[in-house]
Amino acid sequence: MSAPKGWEAIRAEVLARIDRRDWAPGAVIPSEADLAEEFGVARATVNRALRELARQGVVERRRRAGTRVATHPVRKATLDIPVTRLEVEGRGQRYEFRLLERVFAAPPPVVAGRLGLAPGARLWHLRTLHFADGRPYLYEDRWLNPAPLPGRAPPAEAAQISINEWLVRNVAYTFGDISFSAEAAGEAEAAHLGIAPGAALFVIERTTWAGEVPITLVRLAYAPGYRLHTLL
Amino acid sequence: MSAPKGWEAIRAEVLARIDRRDWAPGAVIPSEADLAEEFGVARATVNRALRELARQGVVERRRRAGTRVATHPVRKATLDIPVTRLEVEGRGQRYEFRLLERVFAAPPPVVAGRLGLAPGARLWHLRTLHFADGRPYLYEDRWLNPAPLPGRAPPAEAAQISINEWLVRNVAYTFGDISFSAEAAGEAEAAHLGIAPGAALFVIERTTWAGEVPITLVRLAYAPGYRLHTLL
DNA sequence: GAGTGGTCTAGACCACCGG
DNA sequence: CGGTGGTCTAGACCACTCA
């Protein structure tokens, strides 16, 4: 046990009062100014504490309306989206990858649509198999817009660096979205990953953008046993 | 387009310099004091901007060592862990649930171990099926420690509120962990969800604690098609 | 030892928005 | 209108850690 100091102590005390139902869900808690006086600290310190609680979803804050205890404590979990190589090596396993395909082609309409590109636009299509200790670990299917790339082309097949690592080092993205789902393995995926068709795969789909320009859409299918973990 | 003011403008400018490779990955950027002078703002304003970038994983900060551009931009995604009822209703669907089982029993050793309880401890075991528009949506299998519960027992089977909602309103937890994976549906799950055994299920496992006291371990198996989505 | 980020203070002005 | 949170300032002290 260690007693927090400063704004963390304020946060802890406010949390404790919420937990004890001193301040019930939906209720308005005292204003920053009042709390600052009660705790004998500057308002900025209270503000920092309450801002953190708001970011965690414990309270909701609005000008004039004040700070309320969240009625439905939507807990927020922060996931680290790792670079595959570091994820594998972080478990003490040997990382390798093999580029299966690298072609310049027109994507299916659904892909073009997701990236907001005109039908008929041509993209790089890259398929990569990643290994952990020599065993298939992750099947990656990526569409890559040449426009924002230096040299307008991804690294050659012989490159020693994976597409993703090359991307994060060479093309800065400003935002994106990510989704997680479970899907049954298709024939091709199953063959690459060395599993039976229909097996349950953990799938991450991600799109990234640099301003208005789409960079990439990637589908990551993890071999059975993969688990994404984080603390609340 | 709108030009950000204040600390957001600082953050944007720093991000832009990183994107332009003015400041390369791994490089140390100027100190807060220097940036404050350059931008003509107080150091606290620069601090706020850099703190946000650090939270996003764009830069890494250490006392004395200064602020560095992250070499491996581990992007962090913030997931909202929703209450099932709100998640379903938020899509405009009708929510229902049915409590399948509510017994007081000794859990399997693996469950007791995960919760840090002695073998032989007895817990509530609750199995619930959740529906969206009348169709099976989520199969929930929960072990619940009676110790931290008001009345030492969960609500009766006839209750109109789901176990999870009752929990978040009546038992405050201080921390927990959560994991996401894909698993093949077992016989029982498949029957409840109305799908074929072996189908790919998205599974969330969560444990929560109130200080040193374990509260619950729950396994949520979502019907095929479920997708967790967030922005980066 | 010295430079960096981490935090706090006391005060101020502003944007928002409920009554 | 007036109260609330959002932010900024100028200054200060502290904690950490590198050289």
Side-chain angles (χ1 to χ4, degrees), chain B residues 96-109:
Chain B
E96 297 163 296
F97 74 94
R98 189 165 75 236
L99 188 56
L100 303 175
E101 187 180 45
R102 180 182 181 276
V103 299
F104 195 59

Side-chain angles (χ1 to χ4, degrees), chain B residues 191-212:
Chain B
H192 286 304
L193 290 172
I195 56 174
L201 299 181
F202 190 80
V203 173
I204 300 180
E205 283 193 4
R206 188 170 19 163
T207 61
T208 54
W209 306 70
E212 302 292 316

Side-chain angles (χ1 to χ4, degrees), chain B residues 39-59:
Chain B
F39 293 126
V41 300
R43 183 166 77 94
T45 305
V46 174
N47 179 276
R48 176 75 189 273
L50 295 182
R51 183 160 22 97
E52 288 296 317
L53 290 174
R55 200 173 53 75
Q56 293 173 30
V58 176
V59 299

Side-chain angles (χ1 to χ4, degrees), chain A residues 192-214:
Chain A
H192 287 304
L193 290 172
I195 56 174
L201 299 182
F202 190 81
V203 173
I204 301 180
E205 284 194 3
R206 188 170 17 164
T207 61
T208 55
W209 306 70
E212 301 293 316
V213 182

Side-chain angles (χ1 to χ4, degrees), chain B residues 129 139 183-195 201 203 219 221:
Chain B
L129 192 56
Y139 173 76
E183 296 181 23
E187 292 284 348
E189 283 170 338
H192 286 304
L193 290 172
I195 56 174
L201 299 181
V203 173
R219 179 179 188 274

